[in-house]
Amino acid sequence: MHRLTKHKELLGTVSIIIATLCWGFSGCSGQYLLHDLALPTPVVLCIRQISAGIILILLDLIFRKKDSKAHPHPSIWQSREDTMTLVFFAIFGICLTQFTFFMSIYYSDSGTATVLQYLSTIIILIVTCIRTRTLPKKTETAAIVAAVAGTFIISTGGRPGNLAISGYALFFGLICAFSYSTYTLIPGKIVRTYSAKYIVGRGMLISGIFFSIFVRPWTYSIDITPQVILGFCGLILIGTAAGSTFYHFGASLLPPVKAGTLANFDPVSSVILTALLLGTRFTAADLIGFFFIIGAVFLLNIYQVKKA
């Protein structure tokens, strides 16, 4: 029994690490499409959202069909309140997060954009402290200070008055962090009722359709080359289908807190893959800033594990 538990724990850990590599590869694919192939960011986003939404809905239907007799699942469309929450989440959570994330990649790179996005963990902590009218504990305060220091080092290169990255990259990266906080906080109730894949898949499809109304991607002329196809396969099939499948499989074998902690390897894998696959060069200041922010995220998660 003990060996079986250890085996499941190892399998779950490896699965989630693979999922973070898939997510990191997805960011690299996005950077490749935007930087190397010069595709319009809004068009890439529309295609990604709609395709990823359809894939996640299909995956959800496949997995639900297996246990539908033992565990019948409700439909969100039967509840007006839950439907409105889903639409709000799709527009102000998913759509805004993905738009600002891709714009941050466009003005910087995948690694920097992903690390800035993970400032959302600190924002959620601050919002929670305000809601509960409590002061952060020593460990939480240390994480906040580390995150602020990391952001300062990345944006200035450690030199006050100097802007080391594009102002647009910093702006969209910080907005992405705030919107990703919304992405995390809004759907709590409906995710518990319908499952994450069910909500995220439908949310992505709604956000893609909503964004397409304004972007009108069909009016753009794009040459469908093998490079473009490969880029979208990395962005959608590996980043969404494979990443989601590996993560949910791993999460089913591990305690929720440990699964969430391991998922925070996403920015680490993104930085490493961006450097290895795309040749992006990070300065010493960039790496120190990344270390502070990623360290702050892990510090908070380890603290939550100990509290639990």
Side-chain angles (χ1 to χ4, degrees), residues 6 9 20 27 62 71 118 123-124 138 165 171 179 181 194 206 229-231 266 273 294 304 306:
K6 285 289 185 182
E9 184 175 349
T20 65
I62 291 170
H71 303 91
Y118 270 73
I123 295 170
I124 292 172
K138 289 182 180 179
I165 64 172
F171 171 77
S179 59
S181 306
Y194 303 97
I206 292 170
I229 294 173
L230 285 174
D266 180 18
L273 291 176
I294 295 170
Q304 292 298 326
K306 289 182 177 179

Side-chain angles (χ1 to χ4, degrees), residues 27 31 105 108-116 267 270-272 274 282 290:
Q31 180 176 329
I105 291 178
S108 58
D109 56 78
S110 174
T112 302
T114 304
V115 171
L116 290 175
S270 185
V271 170
I272 293 173
T274 301
F282 298 107
F290 294 161

Side-chain angles (χ1 to χ4, degrees), residues 2-215:
H2 180 69
R3 291 180 61 186
L4 181 61
T5 302
K6 285 289 185 182
H7 175 73
K8 287 176 61 178
E9 184 175 349
L10 177 62
L11 185 59
T13 300
V14 171
S15 295
I16 292 183
I17 295 298
I18 293 174
T20 65
L21 291 172
C22 291
W23 296 334
F25 189 81
S26 175
C28 290
S29 300
Q31 180 176 329
Y32 175 70
L33 291 169
L34 300 180
H35 288 197
D36 296 73
L37 302 184
L39 266 61
T41 305
V43 175
V44 172
L45 183 58
C46 288
I47 295 173
R48 191 259 179 183
Q49 292 300 92
I50 292 176
S51 302
I54 292 172
I55 288 172
L56 286 177
I57 289 172
L58 290 176
L59 286 174
D60 176 66
L61 290 174
I62 291 170
F63 286 110
R64 279 173 174 257
K65 190 174 182 180
K66 291 181 179 180
D67 65 342
S68 59
K69 292 182 179 179
H71 303 91
H73 299 284
S75 170
I76 195 168
W77 313 116
Q78 295 174 352
S79 169
R80 184 174 180 274
E81 180 184 350
D82 289 350
T83 299
M84 294 302 295
T85 303
L86 173 63
V87 173
F88 188 84
F89 167 62
I91 296 173
F92 295 100
I94 296 178
C95 191
L96 184 58
T97 296
Q98 292 300 318
F99 173 71
T100 51
F101 178 68
F102 274 79
M103 291 301 292
S104 186
I105 291 178
Y106 177 78
Y107 285 109
S108 58
D109 56 78
S110 174
T112 302
T114 304
V115 171
L116 290 175
Q117 182 189 54
Y118 270 73
L119 285 169
S120 59
T121 304
I122 306 299
I123 295 170
I124 292 172
L125 167 63
I126 295 172
V127 170
T128 302
C129 288
I130 293 173
R131 277 182 176 179
T132 58
R133 297 182 181 180
T134 57
L135 292 173
K137 306 300 181 185
K138 289 182 180 179
T139 304
E140 295 170 333
T141 302
I144 293 172
V145 171
V148 172
T151 306
F152 172 80
I153 293 170
I154 292 172
S155 58
T156 66
R159 298 186 298 273
N162 174 67
L163 194 61
I165 64 172
S166 163
Y168 288 114
L170 182 61
F171 171 77
F172 283 114
L174 292 177
I175 296 299
C176 180
F178 277 97
S179 59
Y180 193 61
S181 306
T182 306
Y183 176 97
T184 306
L185 292 171
I186 289 176
K189 177 178 175 292
I190 57 176
V191 164
R192 288 190 294 271
T193 304
Y194 303 97
S195 86
K197 274 202 295 289
Y198 184 98
I199 296 301
V200 174
R202 285 154 182 79
M204 278 194 172
L205 183 58
I206 292 170
S207 71
I209 294 171
F210 173 80
F211 199 61
S212 296
I213 293 172
F214 298 95
V215 174

